[in-house]
């Protein structure tokens, strides 16, 4: 009889406890739906009581509590709530979108002047350590600027490593956008794009453009530090310790190449070690440059072909072709840039390279001021194409420069031409463009 009593008591308690849990769970869902409805419809003050309930009683229900909660705290200008949302999220969702959460919170603190620069940097470092590519565009730049200021004189290698990490993350983002944008642009031009896709296209374009600007800003910042005079002693010092480290070698060779330090014997030493260690397409491509410099044109051609054939990613194939184009000039360089575009039709930097070739030939491809300035129209067209197909290419500054040099209305009139008419550019360019 006692056993039956114990069993019935245990069963009653089990049912009662689970009933309470079910009721609590139901209450959490009701509160969440009410909160979400208010937050998404802009009723931020009304949503706060339910948000407080969820943070206290149902913190693991959904990560969306914190995504919407951050917006509620921002819109209601409630720093105490913002901190609670941020900290509670990291306790209950420590890995799910944590880098973005850190980055967004740093933005909130900056926007509302609620933290010192040092405190903001600490939060951005947490975001960076987790995933640089998930940081906000402005915060990527902000973080790198702080690292540069703190280390440029005492530990420049730290600046270089941070730059490489950030640029790889930026590159990943830009490549992702370059794959997504063209199909949406095509739908948009055909009028078959949905409202959701239209919003995505706008967001991708804005973000890609911003990332392109960050890329340019980071390049400008590091160019002051990464001089050949500074790079060569550092890489000479660290070579023995890193001569079989593929990542270190790739970064060292790339930086030496980008800064024009190929004439120093160290570059050849690095390139050979990189090729021997990784036997990668990228390494062989650099080695081709060394062979070229040493006068072995035939060997360089074979090495480039080896690198190109070994590479399977069409985006990287396009980069190889553009790098080869950058080592020559005139019609040959343009032909190679167009080959790059066969592998990546949305490679904005290839169009910008062609534009730069035109701009450099302005004085030699025209017999008078009008004809010379019309070369800038051809360059402008290529830059505009780059911006259209690849918003993150950094085309804006080229467009601005070329526009300043196209023929004025007065010059067009004096030449006896009419705006909207066509003009054939001679020389090696051989393109017909419309008079502005």
């Amino acid at each position: 009889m006692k056993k039956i009593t114990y069993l019935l008591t245990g069963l009653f308690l089990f049912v009662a406890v689970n009933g309470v849990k079910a009721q609590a769970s139901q209450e959490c869902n009701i509160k969440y739906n009410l909160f979400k409805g208010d937050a998404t419809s802009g009723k931020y003050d009304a949503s706060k009581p339910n948000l407080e309930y969820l943070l206290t009683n149902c913190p693991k229900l959904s990560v969306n509590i914190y995504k919407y909660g951050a917006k509620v705290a921002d819109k209601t200008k409630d720093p105490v709530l913002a901190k609670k949302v941020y900290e509670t999220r990291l306790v209950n969702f420590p890995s799910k979108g944590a880098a973005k959460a850190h980055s967004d919170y740093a933005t909130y603190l900056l926007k509302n002047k609620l933290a010192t620069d040092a405190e903001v940097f600490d939060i951005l470092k947490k975001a960076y350590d987790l995933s640089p590519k998930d940081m906000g565009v402005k915060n990527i730049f902000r973080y790198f600027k702080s690292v540069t200021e703190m280390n440029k004189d005492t530990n420049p290698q730290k600046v270089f490593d941070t730059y490489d990490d950030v640029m790889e993350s930026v590159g990943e983002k830009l490549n992702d956008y370059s794959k997504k944008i063209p199909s949406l642009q095509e739908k948009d031009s055909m009028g078959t794009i949905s409202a959701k896709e239209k919003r995505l296209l706008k967001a991708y374009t804005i973000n890609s453009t911003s990332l392109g600007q960050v890329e340019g800003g980071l390049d400008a910042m590091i160019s002051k530090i990464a001089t050949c005079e500074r790079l060569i002693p550092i890489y000479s010092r660290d070579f023995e310790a890193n001569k079989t480290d593929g990542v270190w070698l790739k970064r060292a060779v790339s930086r030496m190449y980008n800064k024009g330090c190929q004439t120093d014997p160290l570059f050849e030493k690095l390139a050979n070690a990189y090729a021997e260690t990784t036997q990668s397409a990228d390494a062989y491509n650099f080695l081709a440059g060394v062979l070229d410099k040493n006068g072995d044109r035939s060997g360089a051609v074979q090495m480039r072909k080896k690198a190109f054939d070994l590479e399977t990613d069409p985006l990287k194939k396009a980069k190889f072709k553009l790098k080869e184009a950058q080592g020559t000039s005139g019609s040959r360089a343009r032909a190679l840039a167009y080959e790059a575009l066969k592998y990546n039709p949305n490679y904005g930097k290839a169009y910008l390279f062609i534009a730069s070739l035109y701009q450099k030939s302005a004085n030699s491809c025209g017999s008078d001021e009008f004809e010379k300035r019309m070369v800038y129209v051809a360059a402008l067209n290529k830059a505009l194409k780059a911006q259209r197909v690849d918003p993150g290419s950094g085309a804006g500054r080229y467009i601005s420069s070329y526009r300043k040099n196209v023929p004025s209305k007065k010059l067009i009139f004096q030449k006896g031409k009419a705006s909207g008419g066509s003009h054939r550019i001679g020389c090696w360019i051989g393109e017909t463009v419309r008079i502005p």
Side-chain angles (χ1 to χ4, degrees):
M1 190 67 184
K2 284 183 179 180
K3 286 182 179 180
I4 293 171
T5 302
Y6 289 145
L7 282 170
L8 288 172
T9 302
L11 182 61
F12 173 77
L13 288 172
F14 176 79
V15 171
V17 168
N18 279 277
V20 170
K21 286 182 177 179
Q23 188 176 3
S25 177
Q26 186 178 13
E27 184 71 10
C28 283
N29 285 323
I30 291 170
K31 295 284 189 184
Y32 174 72
N33 288 327
L34 290 170
F35 160 70
K36 184 179 176 183
D38 285 336
T40 54
S41 60
K43 299 175 182 176
Y44 303 115
D45 286 314
S47 70
K48 286 175 75 171
N50 288 323
L51 173 58
E52 292 282 6
Y53 180 91
L54 293 168
L55 292 173
T56 303
N57 300 286
C58 332
K60 294 182 182 294
L61 180 64
S62 171
V63 74
N64 286 332
I65 292 171
Y66 306 98
K67 291 180 179 179
Y68 293 125
K71 187 173 184 179
V72 168
D74 182 32
K75 294 294 184 180
T76 58
K77 302 187 186 304
D78 190 336
V80 175
L81 178 60
K83 185 178 181 181
K84 186 175 181 180
V85 168
Y86 167 68
E87 292 180 346
T88 309
R89 172 179 178 157
L90 293 176
V91 169
N92 292 282
F93 294 92
S95 59
K96 195 170 184 179
K100 187 176 185 306
H102 287 306
S103 181
D104 290 347
Y105 188 53
T107 299
Y108 175 83
L109 293 174
L110 280 165
K111 177 183 173 182
N112 294 281
K113 300 178 182 178
L114 295 170
T116 64
D117 289 343
E119 289 168 335
V120 169
F121 176 79
D122 287 341
I123 295 171
L124 291 178
K125 187 176 186 309
K126 291 176 183 177
Y128 173 82
D129 289 342
L130 287 168
S131 177
K133 69 178 182 180
D134 291 324
M135 295 172 69
V137 171
K138 289 182 180 178
N139 282 339
I140 291 174
F141 186 81
R142 187 174 285 122
Y143 176 77
F144 181 71
K145 186 176 180 181
S146 297
V147 170
T148 301
E149 289 300 319
M150 287 188 287
N151 296 280
K152 62 182 179 181
D153 296 321
T154 56
N155 187 9
Q157 186 61 53
K158 171 71 174 176
V159 180
F160 301 154
D161 290 341
T162 305
Y163 171 87
D164 288 325
D165 288 337
V166 169
M167 290 302 284
E168 284 171 12
S169 295
V170 168
E172 284 179 27
K173 277 188 169 185
L174 286 171
N175 284 342
D176 186 47
Y177 288 136
S178 70
K179 291 174 183 176
K180 292 175 177 176
I181 288 174
S183 60
L184 292 175
Q185 285 179 330
E186 186 177 355
K187 284 186 175 184
D188 192 29
S189 64
M190 295 173 63
T192 58
I193 194 168
S194 68
K196 181 181 179 181
E197 289 172 329
K198 190 90 171 176
R199 288 194 298 272
L200 286 173
L201 176 58
K202 182 179 179 181
Y204 294 159
T205 302
I206 290 171
N207 290 341
S208 183
T209 303
S210 298
L211 282 170
Q213 292 170 347
V214 165
E215 193 175 37
L218 297 186
D219 281 341
M221 202 181 302
I222 201 167
S223 66
K224 298 175 182 177
I225 302 168
T227 60
C228 294
E229 291 75 19
R230 185 171 246 154
L231 292 173
I232 292 166
I234 291 174
Y235 292 147
S236 297
R237 180 196 68 196
D238 297 340
F239 177 75
E240 282 301 318
N242 295 281
K243 63 184 179 182
T244 58
D245 183 337
V247 174
W248 185 88
L249 289 165
K250 177 182 180 179
R251 291 178 171 183
V253 171
S254 298
R255 178 145 296 111
M256 291 275 286
Y257 176 86
N258 291 332
K259 294 304 296 183
C261 310
Q262 301 97 308
T263 55
D264 191 273
L266 177 63
F267 180 80
E268 186 171 343
K269 187 177 179 181
L270 290 166
N272 279 307
Y274 181 32
E276 186 178 339
T277 298
T278 66
Q279 298 183 26
S280 64
D282 188 53
Y284 292 139
N285 199 46
F286 277 115
L287 206 53
V290 171
L291 293 170
D292 230 342
K293 186 196 75 172
N294 292 337
D296 186 358
R297 297 294 171 82
S298 175
V301 170
Q302 290 177 8
M303 191 61 70
R304 282 198 182 92
K305 186 177 185 307
K306 183 177 181 179
F308 191 77
D309 291 343
L310 189 62
E311 185 55 66
T312 57
D313 184 340
L315 297 183
K316 290 182 179 179
K317 279 182 175 287
K319 289 180 179 179
F320 284 170
K321 281 295 177 186
L322 182 58
K323 187 176 285 186
E324 187 179 352
Q326 290 166 341
T328 183
S329 59
S331 58
R332 172 63 180 159
R334 179 176 61 181
L336 288 167
Y338 275 123
E339 284 186 40
L341 287 164
K342 289 179 183 177
Y343 292 95
N344 180 7
N346 301 293
Y347 195 10
K349 288 183 179 179
Y351 284 113
L352 291 176
F353 175 68
I354 296 170
S356 71
L357 291 174
Y358 289 177
Q359 178 262 321
K360 289 173 185 174
S361 296
N363 286 329
S364 58
C365 286
S367 59
D368 59 27
E369 186 181 357
F370 172 79
E371 290 183 357
K372 291 175 181 180
R373 288 189 178 276
M374 284 303 296
V375 176
Y376 282 96
V377 175
L380 176 62
N381 290 343
K382 291 293 183 285
L384 288 169
K385 177 77 171 179
Q387 186 180 59
R388 188 162 59 252
V389 301
D390 187 2
S393 62
R397 62 183 183 275
Y398 294 89
I399 291 170
S400 177
S401 174
Y402 299 148
R403 273 206 174 116
K404 292 175 183 175
N405 288 284
V406 300
S408 65
K409 298 293 182 185
K410 181 180 178 181
L411 182 59
I412 294 168
F413 176 76
Q414 289 174 343
K415 184 68 177 178
K417 301 287 185 178
S419 293
S422 61
H423 172 76
R424 178 75 176 175
I425 298 172
C427 196
W428 67 270
I429 296 175
E431 283 192 11
T432 298
V433 296
R434 193 169 296 280
I435 299 171

